[in-house]
């Protein structure tokens, strides 16, 4: 999966996002992290773009999510339909962690 991050803008792309269940689960997490984000999906590049107010998310507070992302990244990189359940479970684990952390890191 390819990630591009700048303050106020996050794009991630991968063919796995063409699977609507995986894409919708990922979008749920992004919306939890920043409800103010303007989110778009582009089918031709299988990419999600989230544009958000710079002060809405503290990037340092998202550090605990990195190990969880790294855990599912190999399954995403070498995606097969058989790995879908594991990927969705990994996204659910990330979602659970985000909920524990709180929605808006600056509130």
């Amino acid at each position: 999966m390819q990630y591009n991050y700048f303050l106020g803008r996050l794009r991630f792309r991968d063919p796995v996002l063409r699977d609507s269940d995986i894409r919708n689960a990922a979008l749920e997490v992004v919306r939890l992290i920043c409800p103010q984000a303007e989110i778009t999906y582009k089918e031709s590049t299988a990419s999600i773009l989230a544009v958000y107010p710079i002060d809405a998310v503290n990037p340092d507070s998202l550090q605990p999510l990195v190990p969880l992302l790294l855990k599912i990244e190999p399954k995403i990189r070498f995606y097969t339909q058989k790995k879908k359940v594991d990927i969705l479970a990994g996204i659910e684990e990330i979602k659970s962690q985000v909920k524990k952390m709180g929605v808006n890191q600056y509130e």
Side-chain angles (χ1 to χ4, degrees):
M1 182 161 297
Q2 177 186 353
Y3 302 93
N4 297 72
Y5 169 76
F6 300 97
L7 281 177
R9 181 182 168 99
L10 171 66
R11 178 183 303 275
F12 49 107
R13 72 178 71 194
D14 193 277
V16 74
L17 294 172
R18 288 194 172 103
D19 181 295
S20 62
D21 294 331
I22 293 172
R23 180 177 61 249
N24 290 336
L27 288 171
E28 265 188 76
V29 173
V30 174
R31 287 185 188 105
L32 279 174
I33 291 170
C34 186
Q36 307 94 319
E38 189 176 309
I39 303 169
T40 55
Y41 171 69
K42 190 171 184 180
E43 179 68 27
S44 62
T45 58
S47 67
I48 294 173
L49 172 65
V51 179
Y52 58 91
I54 292 171
D55 61 350
V57 178
N58 177 355
D60 295 332
S61 68
L62 300 177
Q63 197 66 28
L65 301 178
V66 173
L68 300 175
L69 287 167
L70 292 175
K71 186 175 166 184
I72 63 170
E73 196 275 332
K75 293 174 179 83
I76 291 170
R77 186 181 322 144
F78 302 107
Y79 178 71
T80 64
Q81 189 66 25
K82 290 167 47 174
K83 296 178 184 177
K84 180 176 178 173
V85 172
D86 291 337
I87 292 169
L88 289 171
I91 294 172
E92 188 60 36
E93 189 176 358
I94 292 167
K95 182 178 167 184
S96 175
Q97 180 66 29
V98 169
K99 285 181 177 181
K100 288 178 190 174
M101 293 169 18
V103 173
N104 185 326
Q105 305 305 313
Y106 284 111
E107 283 185 348

